[in-house]
Amino acid sequence: NAGVTQTPKFRVLKTGQSMTLLCAQDMNHEYMYWYRQDPGMGLRLIHYSVGEGTTAKGEVPDGYNVSRLKKQNFLLGLESAAPSQTSVYFCASRNPDTEAFFGQGTRLTVV
Amino acid sequence: AQSVTQLGSHVSVSEGALVLLRCNYSSSVPPYLFWYVQYPNQGLQLLLKYTSAATLVKGINGFEAEFKKSETSFHLTKPSAHMSDAAEYFCAVKIDTGRRALTFGSGTRLQVQP
């Protein structure tokens, strides 16, 4: 049982490049989330989804887009990366009556 | 609006000493409260959760937390620290309206000295 898997684990981007982070869960969870973690700021919610085909903005959505075409996958896109997007990104999933399960994180550096 | 405040970004204790990590929340409705632990280069793992049943909640690895409504607190404790407890700890709150997501505190890094 893999749980929540994030791909890739590490990435270095140049300013202006684009990329997509993939989150896959095998627990048939309804809700999925993307957070970013920065020193001294905890985890901040970027976007989330409460079901296949739905997405919504979190606290810090600017510069990111998401899609949930399949229930098990939640993609986070950066169209034009900026140094301010250097961070560790975490995906999480849960059902309404369960706690959140987290992936191992993606460490992104934008130079 | 809901928020979580963790007092102390770094806490250092000696092995065998009491661990106390502080968390205060603000919420206009009864909250669900959580403590998560993050070991280096790993994701977050649930330690324990409060969901309006017993106010004293026991979690994994000997940790427990007490919900105190009058103080709006949910402090995490462990009677005797172990070297393996060194990690970052996050308090989080979830309100069952609106966003349906967790709001996290800024985290407390626990160091355990031999």
Side-chain angles (χ1 to χ4, degrees):
Chain A
N1 188 351
V4 180
T5 303
Q6 292 182 230
T7 311
K9 291 184 170 48
F10 302 93
R11 185 73 186 268
V12 178
L13 283 181
K14 293 183 178 179
T15 297
Q17 286 185 321
S18 63
M19 77 164 293
T20 300
L21 283 66
L22 171 64
C23 176
Q25 53 95 2
D26 61 3
M27 297 172 282
N28 202 34
H29 285 168
E30 291 294 327
Y31 303 165
M32 296 188 75
Y33 309 90
W34 276 107
Y35 288 89
R36 60 177 289 173
Q37 183 181 24
D38 301 291
M41 303 188 75
L43 278 76
R44 293 180 292 169
L45 183 66
I46 305 171
H47 286 281
Y48 67 103
S49 168
V50 297
E52 181 178 319
T54 75
T55 62
K57 294 181 180 180
E59 301 170 64
V60 289
D62 294 343
Y64 305 96
N65 57 76
V66 289
S67 64
R68 184 131 181 242
L69 299 179
K70 294 183 179 181
K71 185 177 183 178
Q72 64 268 33
N73 295 337
F74 195 31
L75 278 64
L76 177 70
L78 286 72
E79 291 186 349
S80 179
S84 61
Q85 294 177 304
T86 293
S87 187
V88 181
Y89 292 85
F90 286 99
C91 177
S93 71
R94 71 179 184 94
N95 275 335
D97 57 345
T98 69
E99 73 268 23
F101 292 82
F102 284 80
Q104 295 294 296
T106 297
R107 188 173 297 275
L108 175 66
T109 302
V110 183
V111 297
Chain B
Q2 59 193 55
S3 70
V4 180
T5 302
Q6 291 184 240
L7 295 175
S9 58
H10 289 81
V11 170
S12 182
V13 300
S14 298
E15 192 172 18
L18 172 72
V19 175
L20 171 61
L21 304 182
R22 299 178 186 274
C23 173
N24 289 87
Y25 69 92
S26 65
S27 171
S28 57
V29 298
Y32 293 91
L33 293 160
F34 305 80
W35 275 100
Y36 280 84
V37 60
Q38 183 182 31
Y39 298 102
N41 299 315
Q42 293 190 24
L44 279 71
Q45 177 184 358
L46 181 70
L47 267 181
L48 50 81
K49 60 182 178 182
Y50 167 75
T51 57
S52 76
T55 56
L56 182 63
V57 182
K58 295 188 183 299
I60 61 172
N61 301 337
F63 284 94
E64 62 182 36
E66 185 172 8
F67 173 69
K68 292 187 176 180
K69 184 177 179 180
S70 61
E71 299 178 8
T72 61
S73 69
F74 190 57
H75 301 332
L76 182 70
T77 60
K78 182 174 180 178
S80 177
H82 192 272
M83 297 295 291
S84 61
D85 294 327
E88 188 152 22
Y89 293 80
F90 292 93
C91 183
V93 62
K94 180 175 75 72
I95 310 291
D96 238 0
T97 57
R99 184 173 293 161
R100 290 174 265 184
L102 298 181
T103 298
F104 285 86
S106 55
T108 298
R109 184 167 299 279
L110 176 67
Q111 291 181 316
V112 182
Q113 308 290 342

